[in-house]
């Protein structure tokens, strides 16, 4: 019989689960998932990753669905805390990288405030996967010397619209990646043009980056809304604005093996 160590010190590992393909987790993330007592995971985490958990590990869905919150952030904060206090090794799995639009920072502050030990394990962010798997280099020696990550959705944006410094974005001489922006695509494209970005500027949408069902569409600020409607782009998806989108057709290596991957799944 295994003795329970009542004095075991619990710890929370705020861990990046990568963009979707389970092969894109770090080795550290994989071994933590394998040894965790409790796994608290978000909806963008590929469920296949949970199969690595040891028998008896508790798996808790934190239910952060896009654009709505089925569980309050306070409750989500409390789960890892309570389990760590009970001496458990808790893996808090978040899609992509936990500190990029993942509220991992808030959860770390909360744990610190409550005296709970934690570590942060970086992950492959969806924007990096979208770049790689759609063949869009986010930086390029000739075409983009800067890169900007922006949220395409804010708490207030539903009511008052996105209150960014649009002229700054329109002038930005590099690549802009919008996370969580698909619902606001029309607003983003329109506001960029109104603020002075040429309507012919290139833009791409990458849905389900790194997964067999990945979908990429490319266009211009002027036609992307119609194209997204025609192609029925859903979530999760990223918006990439910049000259580097022109490389998509040329570098798009993943399309060649997607059909094969889809067959394997069917
Ligand atoms: N921490 C995550 C981002 C969380 S915000 C990361 O580093 O990737 C959630 C947003 O990420 C989604 O609305 C979408 O814009 C993007 N996203 C996450 N996974 C994605 C995927 N596989 N393909 C495209 N976009 C994705």
């Amino acid at each position: 019989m295994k003795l329970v160590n009542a004095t075991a010190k619990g710890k929370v590992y705020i861990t990046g689960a990568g963009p979707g393909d389970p092969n894109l987790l770090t080795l550290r993330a994989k071994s933590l998932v394998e040894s965790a007592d409790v796994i608290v995971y978000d909806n963008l985490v590929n469920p296949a990753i949970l199969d690595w958990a040891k028998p008896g590990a508790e798996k808790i869905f934190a239910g952060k669905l896009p654009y709505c919150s089925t569980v309050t952030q306070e409750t989500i904060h409390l789960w890892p805390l309570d389990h760590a206090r009970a001496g458990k090794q808790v893996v808090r799995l978040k899609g992509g990288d936990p500190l990029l639009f993942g509220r991992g920072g808030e959860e770390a502050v909360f744990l610190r405030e409550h005296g709970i030990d934690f570590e942060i394990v970086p992950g492959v962010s969806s924007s990096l996967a979208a770049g790689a798997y759609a063949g869009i280099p986010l930086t390029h020696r000739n075409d983009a010397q800067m890169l900007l990550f922006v949220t395409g959705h804010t708490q207030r944006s539903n009511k008052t619209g996105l209150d960014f410094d649009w002229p700054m974005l329109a002038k930005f001489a590099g690549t802009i990646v919008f996370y969580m922006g698909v619902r606001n695509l029309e607003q983003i494209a329109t506001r960029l043009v109104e603020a002075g970005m040429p309507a012919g500027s290139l833009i791409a949408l990458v849905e389900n980056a790194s997964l067999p069902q990945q979908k990429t569409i490319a266009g211009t600020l002027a036609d992307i809304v119609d194209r997204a409607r025609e192609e029925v782009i859903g979530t999760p998806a990223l918006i990439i604005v910049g000259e580097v989108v022109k490389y998509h057709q040329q570098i798009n290596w993943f399309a060649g093996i997607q059909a094969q991957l889809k067959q394997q799944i069917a």
Side-chain angles (χ1 to χ4, degrees):
M1 203 178 84
K2 206 173 154 193
L3 288 176
V4 177
N5 182 359
T7 58
K9 206 156 179 273
K11 189 163 178 175
V12 179
Y13 298 86
I14 301 171
T15 304
D21 182 342
N23 290 305
L24 294 176
L25 261 79
T26 62
L27 296 175
R28 175 92 177 123
K30 183 162 195 274
S31 80
L32 286 170
V33 168
E34 285 166 349
S35 60
D37 301 313
V38 179
I39 301 171
V40 181
Y41 62 100
D42 286 354
N43 78 305
L44 283 177
V45 170
N46 189 332
I49 291 166
L50 303 172
D51 293 343
W52 301 340
K54 67 184 180 189
E58 192 178 344
K59 301 164 194 171
I60 305 173
F61 178 51
K64 294 279 293 169
L65 296 167
Y67 309 106
C68 65
S69 200
T70 43
V71 187
T72 64
Q73 194 66 30
E74 289 67 35
T75 312
I76 294 171
H77 280 7
L78 284 171
W79 280 325
L81 175 94
D82 288 344
H83 286 286
R85 279 202 173 135
K88 302 282 172 57
Q89 300 299 302
V90 182
V91 171
R92 177 69 181 97
L93 266 187
K94 289 173 167 293
D97 179 86
L99 300 188
L100 275 178
F101 305 118
R103 306 188 77 163
E106 289 166 51
E107 295 192 25
V109 167
F110 185 79
L111 293 169
R112 177 66 83 226
E113 283 171 353
H114 290 82
I116 304 290
D117 257 8
F118 64 87
E119 285 185 26
I120 302 176
V121 182
V124 175
S125 187
S126 52
S127 57
L128 304 183
Y133 281 70
I136 301 175
L138 298 184
T139 69
H140 187 285
R141 203 153 49 96
N142 304 325
D143 297 300
Q145 283 91 37
M146 287 186 258
L147 176 57
L148 198 57
F149 292 149
V150 182
T151 174
H153 175 258
T154 61
Q155 260 170 350
R156 281 192 304 162
S157 62
N158 292 344
K159 295 191 189 109
T160 55
L162 292 162
D163 56 352
F164 296 145
D165 181 347
W166 290 103
M168 183 277 282
L169 292 180
K171 272 204 306 271
F172 187 73
T175 308
I176 309 177
V177 181
F178 291 91
Y179 288 69
M180 298 175 280
V182 181
R183 289 251 179 112
N184 289 328
L185 176 65
E186 185 162 5
Q187 190 190 155
I188 290 168
T190 310
R191 299 290 294 269
L192 285 174
V193 173
E194 282 170 3
M197 194 180 264
S201 304
L202 300 181
I203 178 169
L205 305 180
V206 185
E207 180 197 296
N208 281 310
S210 83
L211 291 167
Q213 66 271 31
Q214 176 179 310
K215 210 156 144 185
T216 306
I217 60 166
T220 63
L221 289 178
D223 67 13
I224 196 69
V225 173
D226 288 340
R227 301 198 65 171
R229 215 170 275 138
E230 280 158 25
E231 299 280 336
V232 198
I233 291 289
T235 58
L238 290 152
I239 302 172
I240 304 175
V241 180
E243 192 58 24
V244 289
V245 169
K246 72 181 180 197
Y247 293 102
H248 164 61
Q249 286 300 342
Q250 214 177 353
I251 305 184
N252 190 14
W253 58 273
F254 188 52
I257 56 174
Q258 254 183 310
Q260 219 177 320
L261 285 171
K262 278 186 193 155
Q263 266 177 359
Q264 280 169 13
I265 286 182

